[in-house]
Amino acid sequence: MAPARGDVQGLRSARADSLKEGERIALALSAAAARYRSLSRAGKQLLLNELQALTGYHRKSLLRRLNQQPGQRQSSQRGQHRRRYGPEVVEALVPLWEASDRLCGKRLHALLPQLVESLEHHGHLQLEQGVRARVLTMSSATIDRLLAPVRLSSGGNGWRRPPRAHSGVRRRVQVRTFKGWDDHKQPGWLEIDLVAHCGGRLEGRFIWTLVATDIATGWSESLPVITRDGASVLAAIQRLRQQLPFPLRGIDADNDPAFMNALMEQWCDAPEQGIELTRSRAYQSNDQAWVEQKNGMLIRRVVGYQRLVGLEAAQLLAELYAALRLFTNLFQPSFKLKSSVREGGRIKRQGSAPPSGVTQEVL
């Protein structure tokens, strides 16, 4: 419905009055600005009071208008913040995040100087000086903020722990809980476990992976095992012992018969070996929290859950683990639990800051 003729004329009259009012205020401010600079402090206050009553403007707004130099335009500083980390920085950060196996911002921040230097040394990365400097100086919070859209578009990885068996020899082996490592600060005390590559079916033959994690340093080793029996597992442990950069002092295993058997017990108790054998409690996976965490991070995320059978698959796993041990132990900083305090029904845990590499812990 079109407006009436009288309404249109009223709108035009109101708009003209508004323009005239704005022109009058502008003229008044222009005339007052010349007087304002020559007045005393008391005179300036009286003039501001008059202008505030005349125009209805805020006192600070009037001060900006009166102190403005002739010919100078008033500009707002809002919205003029220059972005420091542009698309070129994000484009350089994403490959580094992928190369670190998608670490969180705090762990990636600790790794970036070493990672960038290594990738540039081997010709896998070339960055401009400006981009390189911004990548190395950004904070962990900035890293998480820049990578947030990339994380949302990428899928996650889940894993489940396979069931474990039990053994009769466990009655003669000392039990060690998750709080039993407080007096063992030297490297060489390992938690070991087996990971099944069965594809969800435990029937028939398939390959297992022996995983070992040092409590003091976090150093981890992995070896494929063709069959899950005491002799094969003991042979794998003996090969694993040769790869460790420190002497083997103790082994903590679960209640699997592949570990809790007479062959393993005799080998550890031999005087020339001097290895202490302990076990976790039945159905208490938290007693082996260190190696359980490595099962998911090292094996399930890299190898997956598919069924692996045969010598060829075992050889491929051995080659993969040979490269994975260097990547994990040299280029993966990790947090260590600094304190754990119970507050009512919640447990507040604080990790070490900044995270340190496994090699630094060994050295």
Side-chain angles (χ1 to χ4, degrees), residues 176-182 191 215 252 280-281 284-290 349:
R176 188 192 301 274
T177 65
F178 66 97
K179 293 185 178 180
W181 298 106
D182 296 336
E191 282 188 354
I215 302 301
D252 184 75
S280 62
R281 295 171 294 177
Q284 298 291 330
S285 59
N286 196 42
D287 285 355
Q288 289 198 308
W290 284 273
R349 297 180 176 89

Side-chain angles (χ1 to χ4, degrees), residues 283-297:
Y283 302 105
Q284 298 291 330
S285 59
N286 196 42
D287 285 355
Q288 289 198 308
W290 284 273
V291 73
E292 292 285 355
Q293 189 263 345
K294 298 298 182 181
N295 290 348
M297 188 190 76

